[in-house]
Amino acid sequence: GGQADAKRAGEDPVPDLSPAAIAMRKLSAEDAVMEPTVLEQLRICLRAKKLQPAEVVGTLSGNYHGYAQMCNLMRDWHCFLGD
């Protein structure tokens, strides 16, 4: 079944549902730094002491793309050009 297939594929058959793992998944999302709960997610990860602070910050910054800021810039250009 499913668990046997997951074990053969080298995957953990039971996902880690600890608060730190959930918070880390949220911090791994694109542009997570822009989310209103980012500070709380950081606190959860850092208090769990399962991860190094550099790893947590690296994950957060590595997934920053700035999509919202790019949209704002495009809007400003659009308004500036009068279209």
Side-chain angles (χ1 to χ4, degrees):
Q3 283 190 349
D5 293 337
K7 284 183 183 179
R8 275 186 298 235
E11 298 174 9
D12 186 6
V14 179
D16 185 356
L17 298 177
S18 69
I22 293 168
M24 194 62 174
R25 277 198 295 274
K26 289 180 181 180
L27 292 177
S28 298
E30 289 182 348
D31 285 347
V33 71
M34 301 299 294
E35 294 297 324
T37 62
V38 69
L39 292 178
E40 182 58 27
Q41 303 309 321
L42 282 169
R43 278 189 207 100
I44 292 168
C45 285
L46 296 174
R47 284 182 182 156
K49 298 186 181 188
K50 292 181 180 180
L51 302 167
Q52 294 295 318
E55 183 180 355
V56 175
V57 172
T59 297
L60 185 62
S61 63
N63 290 310
Y64 176 73
H65 299 285
Y67 294 132
Q69 290 76 12
M70 286 187 250
C71 290
N72 286 336
L73 180 61
M74 295 298 289
R75 182 203 64 218
D76 291 346
W77 287 351
H78 183 73
C79 290
F80 177 74
L81 294 173
D83 291 330

